[in-house]
Amino acid sequence: PLLLLSIYSIYIFIERYLTIKKATTIDPEFMLNMKDYMYNANMNAAKNLCRNSSSPIARMIDKGLTKLGKPHIEIDQAIESMGKLEIYKLETKMSALATISGVAPMIGFLGTVLGMIRAFFNLSHSGSNIDPTLLAGGIYEALVTTAAGLLIGIMAYWFYNLLVNMV
């Protein structure tokens, strides 16, 4: 389970990182063309430019352009609601990283408990022939799962916070 959680968290991080990076990159030509179209009152060209662009900022501007001629409050609300929708899209799957950051250490601690149970089970069935190797396997298992769970949890927590800051 810890291996699957680590692979999934790395996948989410890379996919979201690339998506957010792409969404936050603003083409300077887009903004210059938009400024020219707006200055020249060429609304059809401005709308077409927005619709041909796949960036969140273009969709927000397009939403504002569809409300031109209406009161400013209505335009602001339309752009704000589109902005919230764009943020929601960017935050997709990020809650899974938050969950992994909490669940991975718990799974690691479960492995700790199971490893200690195994160590003491082996010790109890050894009779009077006590050998340190009977404990070593269970303790090794306990320590490895704890370390792996904590490492994956820390990694997922760091990924999550980095992506939240990017959004």
Side-chain angles (χ1 to χ4, degrees):
L2 289 173
L3 178 62
L4 292 176
L5 288 176
S6 67
I7 292 168
Y8 188 55
S9 65
I10 291 168
Y11 163 76
I12 291 171
F13 174 71
I14 292 170
E15 188 271 333
R16 286 289 91 197
Y17 181 84
L18 295 174
T19 300
I20 294 167
K21 200 69 168 163
K22 181 182 174 195
T24 57
T25 303
I26 299 172
D27 179 17
E29 288 295 316
F30 171 82
M31 294 307 285
L32 288 173
N33 290 336
M34 183 58 64
K35 186 177 177 183
D36 287 342
Y37 293 149
M38 295 299 291
Y39 182 74
N40 295 320
N42 191 348
M43 295 307 140
N44 287 334
K47 288 177 184 179
N48 285 335
L49 179 64
C50 288
R51 291 181 182 136
N52 291 330
S53 176
S54 63
S55 74
I57 192 75
R59 288 188 288 273
M60 291 170 59
I61 292 171
D62 184 45
K63 191 66 165 181
L65 290 174
T66 61
K67 298 291 182 178
L68 280 178
K70 306 225 172 165
H72 286 290
I73 189 86
E74 196 171 324
I75 297 171
D76 288 345
Q77 288 173 345
I79 293 172
E80 187 176 333
S81 67
M82 181 56 77
K84 288 178 182 177
L85 178 63
E86 293 298 329
I87 288 173
Y88 175 78
K89 288 178 188 176
L90 292 176
E91 290 177 338
T92 301
K93 299 180 190 168
M94 286 176 45
S95 61
L97 281 177
T99 301
I100 291 169
S101 73
V103 169
M106 293 296 140
I107 293 173
F109 293 142
L110 176 62
T112 301
V113 171
L114 295 175
M116 294 307 289
I117 289 171
R118 187 167 73 101
F120 284 108
F121 177 80
N122 290 342
L123 185 63
S124 71
H125 282 80
S126 67
S128 62
N129 187 15
I130 297 176
D131 182 13
T133 58
L134 294 173
L135 291 173
I139 294 172
Y140 173 77
E141 179 183 325
L143 293 175
V144 167
T145 57
T146 300
L150 288 172
L151 181 66
I152 294 163
I154 291 167
M155 178 185 67
Y157 186 70
W158 184 77
F159 287 168
Y160 174 77
N161 282 310
L162 182 68
L163 293 175
V164 166
N165 286 332
M166 287 177 70
V167 171

